[in-house]
Amino acid sequence: MKNPNPLKLRVALTCLRFGLYAFIGFARQVVTKMTGNANFTTPVPPLLDVTAGLDDLQAKADAAVGGGVIATSLRDTAWEASIMQIRGLGGYVQLNGQNNIDILQSSGFSITRTPAPVGPLPAPQNLRVIYNGKSGELDLKMDKVFGVTAGYTYQQAELPAGPYVEIGTSNKTRLPVTGLTAGTTYWFRARANGADMVSAWSTAVSAMAL
């Protein structure tokens, strides 16, 4: 059933405010509903990765019960990693849901309605690379774009003209990039995603991985 009114449908990430075990249960339900779902054939991140992250979180959450500071810290780190994965999955569903209530709800995510942004989305501005002191890693950061409802898509390439490959979709304007080869110069760009539109790509920026 196509949404009959001018309001746009949006993936609601209220699950990110759930308690730990409620979050795990909800996220596993999403994985179950998206597995083999013809509406979402190439989830980003892959469902196997999301499941592996949830299994790791479950184990560390159980270990942290009555555990010490280290066990609690490991649990919290795993929880944040799973949150990032579910954010990314929600962005993927938003981009591929066609503003169709049946398609969006088939993912297992909760859906809300939100006013459509007025006018085209502008390309992200002030994209920059930040060295975080870790070998083979860089952080991308840029200014927030008004009207974004489905996060930002990031790409990288080894030449300024490409070819570019997608490295992530996130609701945040900062993205850690890992797995880079030290001594290699990379080019990065990003775009903003609305309910039924995407912006132009940002101006590409480059940096050498250390």
Side-chain angles (χ1 to χ4, degrees):
M1 179 180 68
K2 192 72 174 178
N3 181 21
N5 62 42
L7 294 180
K8 301 302 178 182
L9 301 172
R10 179 174 63 86
V11 172
L13 295 176
T14 52
C15 62
L16 303 185
R17 298 195 295 271
F18 290 176
L20 176 57
Y21 287 101
F23 167 79
I24 292 173
F26 182 89
R28 290 195 187 280
Q29 171 186 288
V30 168
V31 170
T32 297
K33 290 198 171 186
M34 290 188 67
T35 299
N37 189 326
N39 298 310
F40 307 107
T41 56
T42 56
V44 179
L47 297 180
L48 288 177
D49 291 353
V50 176
T51 296
L54 291 170
D55 290 344
D56 181 58
L57 173 58
Q58 179 89 53
K60 288 175 178 174
D62 293 344
V65 176
V69 174
I70 293 177
T72 300
S73 177
L74 291 173
R75 178 204 64 193
D76 291 346
T77 298
W79 194 354
E80 181 62 28
S82 283
I83 284 175
M84 289 290 290
Q85 288 183 317
I86 294 301
R87 281 188 184 277
L89 204 56
Y92 167 83
V93 168
Q94 184 74 61
L95 283 175
N96 292 274
Q98 304 175 43
N99 199 42
N100 182 305
I101 187 66
D102 294 325
I103 292 176
L104 289 165
Q105 287 185 331
S106 75
S107 70
F109 280 102
S110 301
I111 308 300
T112 60
R113 300 180 188 272
T114 185
V118 178
L121 287 175
Q125 299 295 311
N126 198 25
L127 178 64
R128 53 204 183 272
V129 178
I130 300 172
Y131 287 95
N132 61 18
K134 298 179 182 178
S135 179
E137 294 188 17
L138 296 168
D139 288 349
L140 302 180
K141 186 172 177 59
M142 61 188 179
D143 296 342
K144 184 177 181 179
V145 176
F146 175 76
V148 168
T149 58
Y152 304 91
T153 299
Y154 297 85
Q155 291 187 338
Q156 76 179 35
E158 294 186 20
L159 293 171
Y164 282 85
V165 295
E166 185 172 325
I167 55 174
T169 298
S170 173
N171 289 326
K172 295 185 177 181
T173 55
R174 183 164 185 153
L175 181 78
V177 184
T178 62
L180 304 175
T181 301
T184 299
T185 297
Y186 294 89
W187 292 80
F188 303 96
R189 64 183 187 181
R191 75 179 182 198
N193 304 311
D196 59 358
M197 68 181 76
V198 296
S199 75
W201 290 104
S202 67
T203 300
V205 297
S206 64
M208 179 182 290
L210 302 179

